[in-house]
Amino acid sequence: MTLSTLALLTVAGFGAGLVGYITGLASLVSYPALLLAGLPPLAANVTNTVALVSVGVGSTARAGSSLLDDRRRLTVLGAIAVVGGLIGAGVLLLSPAGSFEAVVPVLVALAAVAVLAQPVLRRAAGHREMPTVFAVCSFAVAIYGGYFGAGAGVIFLALALITSAQPLWRATLLKSALLGLSNLSAAVLFAITGPVHWVAAVAMGIGCLAGGWAGPPIVARLPAGPLRVVIGFAGLGLAVWLAIR
């Protein structure tokens, strides 16, 4: 792999980290970049998962203290994300290619619509907190995140916005932390048994770390309403891309 390709992956990693934190769509940038660098689809998928761990590390290191007011809940959700990520990674390594990806565009599209309709859905739910629903659904999303991951951030974010009264910036941070843990557990399994391209993963991971670090203060300053609309329509775009690729 040439120096110019590694530089491209680092720049793509920064873009993925920033976009991933703000919108939950990191793989829309990082996965195609790895394919363009010459990696086959399975290697690109597992390398992408390893590199994106840095997004969660960067964003949580920058603003993770904001989540520590309920350490017990965060610990439980973190454990759920770790176990789900391991299961998803195991399914990827053991199952036929494409067996699960057929439903991925539908899941991402539904999550994007849920983000767009979040105010209406919150009113329909009576503005109730639904921690059990969030925990159960987070386990399923973590499995998907360990398996493929594109759009998992959007789904996490939609769940957080619909099942709780958290503001967008805080829901975004929680999404990033849980997705990072899911990616981390999957990355450990991939490191042992999967075809990770380590040079590409390190180059992209450096960029992802910087992008994740830059994300929290940007989200904290952006208006929540327009940002939610941007995230929703970007998620619909990702669903279309996943369906036709």
Side-chain angles (χ1 to χ4, degrees):
M1 190 167 285
T2 65
L3 288 177
S4 60
T5 300
L6 293 176
L8 176 64
L9 289 177
T10 302
V11 173
F14 179 81
L18 190 59
V19 169
Y21 182 80
I22 294 173
T23 69
L25 299 169
S27 291
L28 187 60
V29 178
S30 57
Y31 184 66
L34 290 166
L35 293 176
L36 287 174
L39 274 66
L42 179 60
N45 189 12
V46 299
T47 302
N48 185 51
T49 299
V50 172
L52 291 182
V53 171
S54 298
V55 179
V57 173
S59 59
T60 305
R62 182 67 178 265
S65 59
S66 302
L67 293 174
L68 296 180
D69 56 340
D70 191 349
R71 294 173 185 266
R72 180 180 177 184
R73 176 172 179 265
L74 186 60
T75 300
V76 171
L77 291 174
I80 288 172
V82 167
V83 174
L86 283 172
I87 293 173
V91 171
L92 173 66
L93 295 174
L94 296 175
S95 65
S99 59
F100 185 66
E101 291 180 29
V103 300
V104 167
V106 177
L107 293 175
V108 175
L110 289 174
V113 171
V115 170
L116 289 170
Q118 182 259 344
V120 176
L121 294 174
R122 282 297 294 160
R123 286 195 297 270
H127 297 279
R128 295 190 301 271
E129 297 282 337
M130 295 177 278
T132 302
V133 173
F134 180 75
V136 172
C137 292
S138 291
F139 181 62
V141 179
I143 292 174
Y144 163 56
Y147 181 89
F148 182 58
V154 174
I155 303 174
F156 266 130
L157 183 59
L159 283 173
L161 290 173
I162 293 168
T163 62
S164 74
Q166 296 183 88
L168 181 60
W169 70 266
R170 188 179 175 88
T172 302
L173 181 56
L174 178 61
K175 170 268 300 176
S176 186
L178 295 182
L179 186 59
L181 288 171
S182 173
N183 285 340
L184 177 60
S185 61
V188 170
L189 187 58
F190 291 152
I192 299 171
T193 60
V196 178
H197 193 299
W198 285 104
V199 175
V202 170
M204 180 165 278
I206 292 171
C208 286
L209 182 66
W213 177 268
I218 293 176
V219 171
R221 288 170 173 78
L222 292 175
L227 179 58
R228 180 175 48 77
V229 172
V230 170
I231 292 170
F233 279 105
L236 290 174
L238 174 60
V240 172
W241 178 75
L242 290 171
I244 65 177
R245 71 182 180 88

